[in-house]
Every structure is written in structure tokens, then in C-alpha cells.
Amino acid sequence: MDSDKTIKERLQALRARIAAHDYRYYVQDAPTIPDAEYDQLFRTLQQLEQQYPHLITPDSPTQRVGAPPLKAFGQLAHHTPMLSLANAFTEHEVRSFDRRIRDALAIDLVDYAVEPKFDGLAVNLIYEDGIFTKGATRGDGYTGEDITLNLRTIPSIPLRLQTPHAAGLLEVRGEVIMLKADFERLNQQQQQKGEKTFVNPRNAAAGSLRQLDSAITATRKLTFYAYGIGANQVNSLVFSQHSEILAYLVSQRFLVAQESVTAADIEAVFAYYHKIQEMRTSLPYDIDGVVYKVGNLSQQEKLGYVSRAPRFAIAHKFPAQEAVTELLAIEIQVGRTGAMTPVARLAPVFVGGVTVTNATLHNEDEIQRKKIAIGDKVIVRRAGDVIPEVVAAVPGERSSTVQPFVMPDHCPVCGSKAVRLPGEAVTRCSGGLFCPAQRKQAILHFASRRAVDIDGLGEKLVDQLIERALVRTPADLYRLDVKTLSQLERMAEKSACNLLAAIEQSKQTTFPRFIYALGIRHVGEATAKALARHAGTLDQLMCMPIGQLQQIADIGPVVAQSIEDFFAEPHNREVIEQLRQSGMRWEESSNAVKPPSTRDNPAIAGKVFVLTGTLPGMTREEAKNQIEQLGGKVTGSVSARTDYVIAGTDPGSKYTKAIELGVPVLDESQLLHLLQGHPI
């Protein structure tokens, strides 16, 4: 039987191995073993500790799990105060800070430790004899809330220091944050569960860290970045520069911002500030400025403190990325594809370095989800060059005069009907051929090579035609003349003649190309061919009901609705008529199909057919088309819901299945009998 000493050594080896893998995974982002192998190591440790509970130590990786919920947080005093930094918002304020430092130290140049200012929650970790024992929030700078149990759940916080001889107490200072990617995942999970989403990563981190139930904190992915040391009662640890402290923290497997540097003077400080400001949106975490500290620790001590802030450090804040203002109105912006986007009109507010008066609201669902109303006080966010957005209404600030937002049912630009297809979040204008907001896109698509193919009609030329109000719809292309075109930039008479020849040639097209050229949403080339084949004529297509459209192969309810909405819009029909009058021609089928009617042929309409074998007088595709044109449905397999199986020679397994299920089996002559309206 193994002795306690042997088991203890095995446990220590397992804990050290798991801690090393945690460091590589959570801090270095470079795992060296598969998850399954890590899970096996962890389970082995758990099993051993369950077997020998008296050998469990506070620094064991198994102790990161959440503990029972607390009724309230206790208070924990800091051995060295966690004082706030003074803020600077302008270059002038930073230069004044530098001048005060140089004057106080009587030197010409100062080395500064320069690092990003995390936008998270400052915490203090206490290590006693190398073991993490307690942790607290900043609080009032002298006493914070004891959140030890929650901090234990954060994998990037080492539970044991690596220093061989770390007898005594050591305070490690840093910030608990939620990385941007983890924040996005958390909000997606919250939405899926129908629960409240967080406004930004800082709120998410703070809310997660201050849970009374640490089991909830354990489910949130939080990250700790170390940036300094408070009380240091470990005799073996002596530092002279702030950079040495950071190097020590890295050696102890703490995460430290890789962007931390030493600047030789104030000009280098500003260069860093502008560089990190440009990098801001690409960093994996949110920052709200840069921290400058005198790098020499003895100089820090000489400079001392004023009130509740150190004299030797300052935070140079970025222009605010979030601000509060009033939502004055919600207007609708129509995009080039007809998408109708709600845009917030705001009382002017300075955010992210610029004055913002407009911000996106994305779509109707987002407005409802965020419960935003016109007249609300709202939080506006702007990150870098990203379009400003309204994040949320300010809780508790709503007045009785606010107005709920209702998405309009007509396009504000052209008056066409606004439609929102099933499964889509975006409402769109249905006036694709007519709407000025969609004009450029509609004309370019109409003239494209796979549509009516007007060679030489490129984007820059279309821009000129639209800017000079020469073309408003595709039909206007057929009214252009040499004189008008020759007045455009880079359009001599010969070029104008060539373009007119291409426009004239485009009048002779095919029915599928013309359908595709109309730019009906969800109607690509293959669908256009199916529509042309099934409808036969444009007039037949334009009046085809949605039920019949859905009987065409590969046309489901969303596509059918889109087609019906397009042809139901009078503006579109008007442009189509103008195109016909201009001389556009295509070959239409002489066998145009009459819309199916259960009154005309109740023997076919609504019935389900299966075709099998070789028919003597028609192909199966021809039989399928005739059945579908009269309101029947053709499927590929026999079931209890099949009304008829049409069998030719060599019918195969479908015939056998029909006999087994008792489904009527007809030959071609009987099918023709049904197609002529006679019941069997």
C-alpha cells in the first residue's frame, strides 16, 4: 500500500504538471497536449484527492471550482493602499506632469514605464509563502470586497508562485478583464438563453467577478493581467526598476501586457500613445488609455503621493468610446439592395474623438431586444473607425413622453411596399427597379453580362448617368442618344455609338435572362430559367399566385413570396411595361400554361403523384410539368400520402411499394385521361 509520502509526491507532481499546462494554455495561448489528455490528468488528480482528502492543498488546480453562494462579500484590507491614478486628457496635461516630475527630481530626462490602461476591474492578490490565499477588489483604495472564491476560478491567476524561496507576504496588483472574443461568446449564449446581455466587456467582467455564487463566475471566461506589486515582505525579492517587477511577474506565470515598454523621454511617451491608439481596435482586450509611471522605483519613492494618488504616475485617457445622449428620432436609411436600416438621430455628443449625431440601430429586432424608444437617454459607442452604434437605453432614465418605434410598411424613398421575408431580420423596399436608393445597383445588375449584357456600361459611366439624372430606371437606358452620351466624361462620339449599339443589341434577349435582369431578390439564373420554363410568358409569370410558384422545383415559400412581392409592386410593373415599349423582345413559349384551378381539373389539383419507369409517349419531365401546371405535386418517393403512381415499363421498387401500400397505379393512357379532366 502506498504511503502518504508517496501519494503526496504523486499529487505534487500532478499539480505541477497541470499548472504548467494551464500556464501554456491560458497565459501563453500555446497548449502542448490535447484537451482529452489534459482532462485525464485532471480527473486523475480529482480521484486521488477524493481518496486522500487530507492531502488537498489550497494551491491545487481542483480548488478553482466554484464554492457555495455567499450571502454577501466580506471586507479585506490591503497591506499597501491601491490608490487611483490622476487622469490626463490632453498632451498639455501630460507635459505638465512630466515637467513637475523633472523639477521634483532635478533632472532633465525621465525614463517612463509605459503600458496600456486596461478597462476592467482592478484587484489585489495576496500570496503568503508563495500560495494564493486571498484576493479583493480595489474598493476605497484601503479596503476592498473579499472575492477570493471568485478569483480562484480564473485560470490565468497562479495558485502558487514559482519562486523556490518565497517566504513572506506578497501583493500582486492587476486587472480582471473579459477578452473581446469571450465577451461576444457570452452575449451570444445569453441571447440564446433569453437572458440579459452585457453592454461591454468591462461590465461583463465586473458582473461576473462580483457574483455571490462563484459557480457562476466559473462559467464565465475571465482573464487576469498583472501590472505591479503592492506590499512585498519577501526578503529575496528586491527590485530597482518597474520593468524588473514585470519581468518577475512573467517568470511567475502571470499574464503581463506584451505592449508594455520603457520610454526614454516624454516624446517617446507620446509616440507610444499614438501607436497604441491606432492598435486599439485590433487588441484582444479593451483599453481606455495609457499609463505612464516613473520607471525607477527609488525615484517613485522620492516623489511620493498626493491626496489619494501617486505623484509618479498618470493615466493618459483616450477620448471616450461611450457616451450618453438623447435619442431624438429614428429615421430609415435605404441601402443599394433595398435594405431598410433604422438610424438614430442623436443630440450631438463627443465620443471616440469626434462629435456624433447619427448612429446605427441595425434592424427592427435589435431595437425591440434593446427596448429602445424615441426620446430615451441612450449609450452610444464608437470604436476607431467603426460606425457609431446605440448600445442600450440608460436604465431608469425613461420619461413618460417617449415614443415606441414602428418599422414603416412603405419605403420612405420611393413609397413602394416594405416587406420582410420569413427568416430574415431585414425589412426591404420592394421597388427594386424604381427606387432611387437602389438605382445604381439595379442598373448595373440589369446590364451585367449574365443579364441583358450591355457591353461597355460600367460603374463609372452609370455613376455619371445617375448624377446627371439621365437614367432613373433600366428603361431609361433605351432613351439615350449619341448627343447626350457624348457630353459625358471619357465618352467621345465613337464610344457613344458603340454603347448605343450594345444597348440596341440587348433588346433581343431570352426570357430567363430578362427575368434574372429584373433583380428579384433570391432569383438567380437557375431560378429564372425554372420560372421561364414553367410560366411560358411574362404576363403569366406576373400574375402567378404564390401557391403555384411553390410548385416549381427548388422554389420554397421565401423565394415565392419575394417573387410575388416584386410583381405586386406597381412601380416595378410600370418599369417592365416601359422596357417592353422600348422594344425589348424575347421568345416566349406558345404553350403558355393556364393557372391551375381545382374547379377546372379537380382530378389533378392538390393530388400527389410519383413517376416510375419509362412512359411510351412522353418523358417523365414532360409528364411532371403537365401535372404541376394543373396544380398537382410530383414527389420522388411513395408513401401513404401518395395519390397515384404513374408507371411505365421497368417501373422498379416504387411500383412494388405502391402495391404494398395500396396506392393506385396508373399507366400513361390513364394519366392522359386525368390530365384532360376526367376522373378515373
Side-chain angles (χ1 to χ4, degrees):
M1 189 173 180
D2 292 333
S3 66
D4 265 14
K5 181 180 179 183
T6 305
I7 295 299
K8 188 175 182 181
E9 289 172 352
R10 189 179 173 194
L11 285 168
Q12 286 174 340
L14 266 174
R15 289 165 186 153
R17 192 174 170 191
I18 290 171
H21 287 305
D22 283 344
Y23 170 65
R24 295 188 192 104
Y25 185 92
Y26 293 107
V27 178
Q28 293 186 319
D29 196 22
T32 53
I33 62 170
D35 289 350
E37 188 176 337
Y38 176 89
D39 293 341
Q40 184 57 51
L41 285 173
F42 201 90
R43 280 196 297 272
T44 302
L45 177 61
Q46 285 178 314
Q47 289 165 1
L48 277 173
E49 289 186 341
Q50 287 169 4
Q51 195 174 350
Y52 302 95
H54 62 288
L55 296 180
I56 297 175
T57 59
D59 64 317
S60 174
T62 61
Q63 301 308 295
R64 290 195 187 277
V65 296
L70 300 173
K71 292 184 178 179
F73 292 116
Q75 301 294 300
L76 188 62
H78 308 310
H79 291 268
T80 298
M82 290 184 74
L83 301 182
S84 300
L85 297 178
N87 291 325
F89 295 93
T90 66
E91 187 172 307
H92 174 73
E93 290 173 322
V94 176
R95 288 190 184 280
S96 297
F97 162 77
D98 175 61
R99 187 175 59 253
R100 289 194 300 272
I101 296 294
R102 289 187 287 108
D103 289 347
L105 296 174
I107 56 177
D108 294 329
L109 293 175
V110 178
D111 281 343
Y112 289 103
V114 185
E115 56 202 30
K117 184 179 183 301
F118 293 103
D119 193 11
L121 197 69
V123 298
N124 184 46
L125 310 179
I126 298 175
Y127 287 82
E128 296 180 87
D129 298 334
I131 304 297
F132 172 57
T133 57
K134 297 174 185 175
T137 60
R138 181 199 300 275
D140 63 2
Y142 298 91
T143 302
E145 292 176 314
D146 185 344
I147 54 170
T148 305
L149 294 177
N150 291 348
L151 290 169
R152 280 187 172 277
T153 69
I154 301 174
S156 53
I157 293 179
L159 297 177
R160 172 188 284 274
L161 298 177
Q162 301 299 302
T163 306
H165 306 290
L169 181 141
L170 182 73
E171 289 182 322
V172 175
R173 304 280 166 82
E175 201 100 354
V176 172
I177 64 171
M178 186 172 285
L179 300 178
K180 293 174 183 176
D182 296 327
F183 170 72
E184 295 297 333
R185 277 191 289 270
L186 174 62
N187 264 354
Q188 287 172 7
Q189 293 166 2
Q190 294 291 101
Q191 269 187 276
Q192 290 167 2
K193 292 188 290 187
E195 297 179 5
K196 175 189 171 185
T197 56
F198 294 93
V199 173
N200 54 44
R202 187 189 187 284
N203 286 3
S208 302
L209 197 56
R210 298 190 73 257
Q211 292 287 333
L212 293 174
D213 186 350
S214 58
I216 295 176
T217 307
T219 66
R220 309 275 176 82
K221 194 167 182 185
L222 299 174
T223 301
F224 174 78
Y225 275 86
Y227 53 62
I229 284 176
N232 177 8
Q233 298 172 8
V234 180
N235 294 331
S236 60
L237 295 182
V238 180
F239 308 105
S240 61
Q241 297 286 333
H242 180 73
S243 58
E244 294 174 5
I245 291 176
L246 296 184
Y248 170 75
L249 291 171
V250 170
S251 74
Q252 301 306 296
R253 297 183 173 174
F254 287 96
L255 262 176
V256 172
Q258 295 180 351
E259 296 76 19
S260 299
V261 300
T262 298
D265 56 28
I266 194 63
E267 300 308 325
V269 160
F270 289 131
Y272 177 90
Y273 175 87
H274 295 301
K275 178 183 176 182
I276 205 76
Q277 190 174 27
E278 289 178 6
M279 294 170 56
R280 185 179 186 184
T281 55
S282 62
L283 292 173
Y285 43 72
D286 275 349
I287 60 174
D288 58 0
V290 179
V291 174
Y292 311 137
K293 302 173 185 174
V294 172
N296 184 288
L297 300 185
S298 62
Q299 289 179 345
Q300 286 189 7
E301 190 174 347
K302 182 177 180 180
L303 289 164
Y305 301 83
V306 55
S307 182
R308 299 171 67 86
R311 285 194 175 96
F312 56 80
I314 197 167
H316 189 180
K317 300 293 286 290
F318 293 137
Q321 286 192 299
E322 287 188 355
V324 174
T325 189
E326 184 180 355
L327 176 59
L328 302 176
I330 298 178
E331 298 176 2
I332 300 299
Q333 189 175 75
V334 184
R336 60 186 181 85
T337 63
M340 294 170 52
T341 304
V343 175
R345 303 304 181 199
L346 307 167
V349 60
F350 193 74
V351 55
V354 298
T355 299
V356 171
T357 55
N358 302 324
T360 182
L361 288 162
H362 299 293
N363 56 55
E364 184 180 13
D365 287 350
E366 278 293 285
I367 295 174
Q368 301 302 329
R369 184 180 68 81
K370 293 175 180 176
K371 298 178 180 177
I372 293 170
I374 299 165
D376 271 339
K377 295 288 185 182
V378 293
I379 300 168
V380 181
R381 177 188 296 152
R382 180 181 182 272
D385 295 328
V386 177
I387 298 170
E389 68 168 330
V390 174
V391 179
V394 178
E397 292 285 328
R398 175 164 290 176
S399 72
S400 58
T401 59
V402 299
Q403 300 173 6
F405 169 75
V406 179
M407 179 64 80
D409 55 8
H410 284 78
C411 172
V413 176
C414 71
S416 299
K417 183 183 175 184
V419 295
R420 180 176 172 181
L421 297 177
E424 291 195 355
V426 177
T427 301
R428 297 179 187 275
C429 165
S430 64
L433 292 178
F434 174 81
C435 182
Q438 303 173 67
R439 187 169 288 161
K440 179 180 176 180
Q441 182 68 17
I443 293 168
L444 284 171
H445 177 78
F446 183 85
S448 64
R449 185 168 59 85
R450 289 186 172 88
V452 300
D453 191 17
I454 302 178
D455 186 33
L457 189 62
E459 187 170 349
K460 290 183 179 178
L461 184 54
V462 169
D463 284 338
Q464 289 190 70
L465 292 171
I466 291 173
E467 286 169 7
R468 301 190 184 199
L470 298 174
V471 171
R472 292 180 174 82
T473 74
D476 292 332
L477 294 169
Y478 298 94
R479 301 189 182 99
L480 295 171
D481 55 42
V482 173
K483 181 180 178 182
T484 302
L485 288 173
S486 298
Q487 295 173 355
L488 302 177
E489 292 178 20
R490 300 182 183 179
M491 282 294 288
E493 186 173 333
K494 183 177 180 181
S495 300
C497 289
N498 290 339
L499 178 59
L500 286 175
I503 292 173
E504 185 63 28
Q505 187 176 345
S506 73
K507 289 181 179 179
Q508 189 59 47
T509 187
T510 66
F511 190 20
R513 277 177 171 267
F514 182 78
I515 296 171
Y516 175 66
L518 296 177
I520 306 168
R521 184 161 176 77
H522 299 304
V523 176
E525 293 175 84
T527 304
K529 289 176 182 176
L531 289 169
R533 185 170 57 249
H534 190 85
T537 70
L538 181 59
D539 289 331
Q540 174 68 22
L541 176 60
M542 289 197 296
C543 66
M544 195 174 284
I546 195 168
Q548 187 179 356
L549 287 167
Q550 289 187 64
Q551 292 168 14
I552 303 172
D554 299 324
I555 294 184
V558 172
V559 181
Q561 186 65 60
S562 182
I563 296 166
E564 185 181 66
D565 288 337
F566 182 88
F567 287 119
E569 177 50 55
H571 292 135
N572 291 334
R573 297 175 80 98
E574 181 183 341
V575 174
I576 289 170
E577 183 57 33
Q578 291 170 0
L579 288 167
R580 283 171 142 176
Q581 290 175 5
S582 72
M584 289 208 75
R585 294 290 180 267
W586 54 85
E587 186 177 339
E588 294 187 331
S589 170
S590 58
N591 299 317
V593 181
K594 187 171 72 171
S597 166
T598 54
R599 291 175 298 174
D600 292 346
N601 195 342
I604 296 288
K607 300 293 193 296
V608 178
F609 293 78
V610 172
L611 303 173
T612 182
T614 304
L615 302 176
M618 67 176 81
T619 66
R620 279 171 38 184
E621 185 64 26
E622 288 171 339
K624 179 175 182 289
N625 287 339
Q626 289 194 44
I627 291 168
E628 289 178 341
Q629 287 166 2
L630 293 171
K633 183 177 181 181
V634 178
T635 63
S637 59
V638 181
S639 71
R641 286 187 277 184
T642 304
D643 292 294
Y644 298 107
V645 170
I646 311 301
T649 57
D650 301 322
S653 60
K654 294 177 183 176
Y655 175 84
T656 306
K657 184 73 176 288
I659 298 301
E660 291 174 357
L661 295 175
V663 175
V665 178
L666 309 181
D667 58 19
E668 183 183 291
S669 63
Q670 290 172 306
L671 171 62
L672 291 172
H673 197 69
L674 285 176
L675 292 172
Q676 292 165 7
H678 306 300
I680 297 299

